[in-house]
Amino acid sequence: MTTIFTAWQGVRARVAAAATRAGRPADTVELLAVSKTFPADAVRELYQHGQRHFGENYAQEMHDKALQLGGDCPDLVWHFIGPLQSNKTRQVAETASWVHSVDRVKIAERLSQQRPDHLPPLQVCIQVNVSGETSKSGATTAAAAELARQTASLPRLTLRGLMCIPDPAADAATLRHQFRQLAELRQELNSQGFGLDTLSMGMSADMELAIAEGATLVRVGTAIFGARSAKENTQ
Ligand SMILES: *Cc1c(COP(=O)(O)O)cnc(C)c1O
């Protein structure tokens, strides 16, 4: 039986091998363990083995796990990666260290206003809709620069980079193309003076492709924790 620990070690090896193939040191790619739908005990187990960065999609679930684990896992870093509604921003601003899914200025403004003074600024990424499907969340590539400018100006946020969720049904060539678009957008924004150091892209099925295109952080759930129950909706 594969335990969470051995699965996690396998994912770390995949990340390191993909980084090496891309000519980069393994520690240039952060592994975010996406623990959504899995219990706090699973998070605690990986924490005890040294994993620090964990991702969640639902504000309430992240908040509950943070309460359960706060005492045992003092250095745990929560990343909120799910779609964000206005009425959930406070909980996220109070619990997370990172938010990857900023896709409109109203959400960025609320997160900045609601970030507690005793915490450091919230680290954020702008989610970009690289697949171009209108049903998908994320700012359009055309709107990303303006959203980045507005987000970077907010006092309690630090803009770190860009995030994407490509069309999961796409073939490898299409996925690579979409990852490359995000990498090129980062370059373009950095040439305009943004110092973006983060490309949040790649999941269980496509982390190697994302790393080949320059991912600095991969968000991996299934390959570490196993399959989620069917009724759970990843979007
Ligand atoms: C669930 C989720 C992941 C992890 O997906 P897996 O395919 O299970 O690795 C990554 N990113 C986001 C935004 C997610 O919602």
Side-chain angles (χ1 to χ4, degrees), residues 160-174:
R160 295 294 298 270
L162 305 175
M163 178 271 229
C164 73
I165 307 174
D167 176 4
D171 58 27
T174 306

PDB file of all heavy atoms in Angstrom, residues 160-174:
ATOM      1  N   ARG A 160       3.425  38.591  -6.059  1.00  0.00           N
ATOM      2  CA  ARG A 160       4.554  37.693  -6.290  1.00  0.00           C
ATOM      3  C   ARG A 160       4.598  37.104  -7.689  1.00  0.00           C
ATOM      4  O   ARG A 160       5.659  36.716  -8.157  1.00  0.00           O
ATOM      5  CB  ARG A 160       4.504  36.550  -5.262  1.00  0.00           C
ATOM      6  CG  ARG A 160       4.698  37.011  -3.820  1.00  0.00           C
ATOM      7  CD  ARG A 160       6.094  37.563  -3.569  1.00  0.00           C
ATOM      8  NE  ARG A 160       7.112  36.537  -3.796  1.00  0.00           N
ATOM      9  CZ  ARG A 160       7.563  35.697  -2.852  1.00  0.00           C
ATOM     10  NH1 ARG A 160       7.100  35.778  -1.617  1.00  0.00           N
ATOM     11  NH2 ARG A 160       8.486  34.794  -3.130  1.00  0.00           N
ATOM     12  N   GLY A 161       3.430  36.939  -8.325  1.00  0.00           N
ATOM     13  CA  GLY A 161       3.508  36.301  -9.636  1.00  0.00           C
ATOM     14  C   GLY A 161       2.166  35.976 -10.238  1.00  0.00           C
ATOM     15  O   GLY A 161       1.156  36.616  -9.936  1.00  0.00           O
ATOM     16  N   LEU A 162       2.193  34.937 -11.077  1.00  0.00           N
ATOM     17  CA  LEU A 162       1.022  34.558 -11.868  1.00  0.00           C
ATOM     18  C   LEU A 162       0.713  33.082 -11.649  1.00  0.00           C
ATOM     19  O   LEU A 162       1.612  32.273 -11.413  1.00  0.00           O
ATOM     20  CB  LEU A 162       1.300  34.789 -13.364  1.00  0.00           C
ATOM     21  CG  LEU A 162       1.750  36.188 -13.776  1.00  0.00           C
ATOM     22  CD1 LEU A 162       2.098  36.210 -15.274  1.00  0.00           C
ATOM     23  CD2 LEU A 162       0.674  37.238 -13.464  1.00  0.00           C
ATOM     24  N   MET A 163      -0.565  32.762 -11.779  1.00  0.00           N
ATOM     25  CA  MET A 163      -1.013  31.377 -11.614  1.00  0.00           C
ATOM     26  C   MET A 163      -1.955  31.035 -12.762  1.00  0.00           C
ATOM     27  O   MET A 163      -2.666  31.903 -13.259  1.00  0.00           O
ATOM     28  CB  MET A 163      -1.748  31.259 -10.274  1.00  0.00           C
ATOM     29  CG  MET A 163      -2.329  29.896  -9.966  1.00  0.00           C
ATOM     30  SD  MET A 163      -4.016  29.655 -10.575  1.00  0.00           S
ATOM     31  CE  MET A 163      -4.803  28.993  -9.110  1.00  0.00           C
ATOM     32  N   CYS A 164      -1.944  29.766 -13.194  1.00  0.00           N
ATOM     33  CA  CYS A 164      -2.940  29.329 -14.179  1.00  0.00           C
ATOM     34  C   CYS A 164      -3.379  27.900 -13.909  1.00  0.00           C
ATOM     35  O   CYS A 164      -2.671  27.113 -13.281  1.00  0.00           O
ATOM     36  CB  CYS A 164      -2.435  29.461 -15.614  1.00  0.00           C
ATOM     37  SG  CYS A 164      -1.185  28.241 -16.080  1.00  0.00           S
ATOM     38  N   ILE A 165      -4.591  27.617 -14.367  1.00  0.00           N
ATOM     39  CA  ILE A 165      -5.130  26.252 -14.389  1.00  0.00           C
ATOM     40  C   ILE A 165      -5.496  25.985 -15.845  1.00  0.00           C
ATOM     41  O   ILE A 165      -6.533  26.435 -16.309  1.00  0.00           O
ATOM     42  CB  ILE A 165      -6.405  26.124 -13.529  1.00  0.00           C
ATOM     43  CG1 ILE A 165      -6.176  26.646 -12.117  1.00  0.00           C
ATOM     44  CG2 ILE A 165      -6.887  24.677 -13.507  1.00  0.00           C
ATOM     45  CD1 ILE A 165      -7.440  26.683 -11.256  1.00  0.00           C
ATOM     46  N   PRO A 166      -4.652  25.280 -16.585  1.00  0.00           N
ATOM     47  CA  PRO A 166      -4.998  25.051 -17.988  1.00  0.00           C
ATOM     48  C   PRO A 166      -6.159  24.079 -18.125  1.00  0.00           C
ATOM     49  O   PRO A 166      -6.526  23.403 -17.151  1.00  0.00           O
ATOM     50  CB  PRO A 166      -3.720  24.486 -18.598  1.00  0.00           C
ATOM     51  CG  PRO A 166      -2.897  24.024 -17.476  1.00  0.00           C
ATOM     52  CD  PRO A 166      -3.372  24.675 -16.221  1.00  0.00           C
ATOM     53  N   ASP A 167      -6.705  24.028 -19.295  1.00  0.00           N
ATOM     54  CA  ASP A 167      -7.788  23.112 -19.603  1.00  0.00           C
ATOM     55  C   ASP A 167      -7.313  21.678 -19.333  1.00  0.00           C
ATOM     56  O   ASP A 167      -6.381  21.199 -19.967  1.00  0.00           O
ATOM     57  CB  ASP A 167      -8.124  23.299 -21.080  1.00  0.00           C
ATOM     58  CG  ASP A 167      -9.171  22.320 -21.547  1.00  0.00           C
ATOM     59  OD1 ASP A 167      -9.677  21.546 -20.709  1.00  0.00           O
ATOM     60  OD2 ASP A 167      -9.476  22.331 -22.742  1.00  0.00           O
ATOM     61  N   PRO A 168      -7.931  20.968 -18.361  1.00  0.00           N
ATOM     62  CA  PRO A 168      -7.424  19.635 -17.996  1.00  0.00           C
ATOM     63  C   PRO A 168      -7.554  18.605 -19.118  1.00  0.00           C
ATOM     64  O   PRO A 168      -6.861  17.584 -19.102  1.00  0.00           O
ATOM     65  CB  PRO A 168      -8.291  19.241 -16.791  1.00  0.00           C
ATOM     66  CG  PRO A 168      -9.482  20.120 -16.835  1.00  0.00           C
ATOM     67  CD  PRO A 168      -9.103  21.369 -17.580  1.00  0.00           C
ATOM     68  N   ALA A 169      -8.410  18.879 -20.093  1.00  0.00           N
ATOM     69  CA  ALA A 169      -8.605  17.921 -21.181  1.00  0.00           C
ATOM     70  C   ALA A 169      -7.592  18.121 -22.311  1.00  0.00           C
ATOM     71  O   ALA A 169      -7.560  17.345 -23.267  1.00  0.00           O
ATOM     72  CB  ALA A 169     -10.036  18.049 -21.731  1.00  0.00           C
ATOM     73  N   ALA A 170      -6.764  19.149 -22.197  1.00  0.00           N
ATOM     74  CA  ALA A 170      -5.855  19.465 -23.300  1.00  0.00           C
ATOM     75  C   ALA A 170      -4.759  18.411 -23.450  1.00  0.00           C
ATOM     76  O   ALA A 170      -4.381  17.754 -22.485  1.00  0.00           O
ATOM     77  CB  ALA A 170      -5.236  20.838 -23.056  1.00  0.00           C
ATOM     78  N   ASP A 171      -4.233  18.271 -24.665  1.00  0.00           N
ATOM     79  CA  ASP A 171      -3.103  17.361 -24.874  1.00  0.00           C
ATOM     80  C   ASP A 171      -1.810  18.050 -24.434  1.00  0.00           C
ATOM     81  O   ASP A 171      -1.795  19.244 -24.131  1.00  0.00           O
ATOM     82  CB  ASP A 171      -3.036  16.900 -26.329  1.00  0.00           C
ATOM     83  CG  ASP A 171      -2.907  18.060 -27.295  1.00  0.00           C
ATOM     84  OD1 ASP A 171      -2.378  19.131 -26.905  1.00  0.00           O
ATOM     85  OD2 ASP A 171      -3.342  17.909 -28.440  1.00  0.00           O
ATOM     86  N   ALA A 172      -0.722  17.275 -24.419  1.00  0.00           N
ATOM     87  CA  ALA A 172       0.539  17.795 -23.861  1.00  0.00           C
ATOM     88  C   ALA A 172       1.007  19.052 -24.590  1.00  0.00           C
ATOM     89  O   ALA A 172       1.470  19.999 -23.952  1.00  0.00           O
ATOM     90  CB  ALA A 172       1.613  16.710 -23.918  1.00  0.00           C
ATOM     91  N   ALA A 173       0.864  19.072 -25.907  1.00  0.00           N
ATOM     92  CA  ALA A 173       1.357  20.242 -26.653  1.00  0.00           C
ATOM     93  C   ALA A 173       0.566  21.490 -26.276  1.00  0.00           C
ATOM     94  O   ALA A 173       1.122  22.586 -26.130  1.00  0.00           O
ATOM     95  CB  ALA A 173       1.259  19.970 -28.157  1.00  0.00           C
ATOM     96  N   THR A 174      -0.739  21.328 -26.112  1.00  0.00           N
ATOM     97  CA  THR A 174      -1.585  22.476 -25.748  1.00  0.00           C
ATOM     98  C   THR A 174      -1.268  22.942 -24.326  1.00  0.00           C
ATOM     99  O   THR A 174      -1.184  24.143 -24.054  1.00  0.00           O
ATOM    100  CB  THR A 174      -3.074  22.082 -25.865  1.00  0.00           C
ATOM    101  OG1 THR A 174      -3.292  21.573 -27.182  1.00  0.00           O
ATOM    102  CG2 THR A 174      -3.986  23.268 -25.608  1.00  0.00           C
TER     103      THR A 174
END
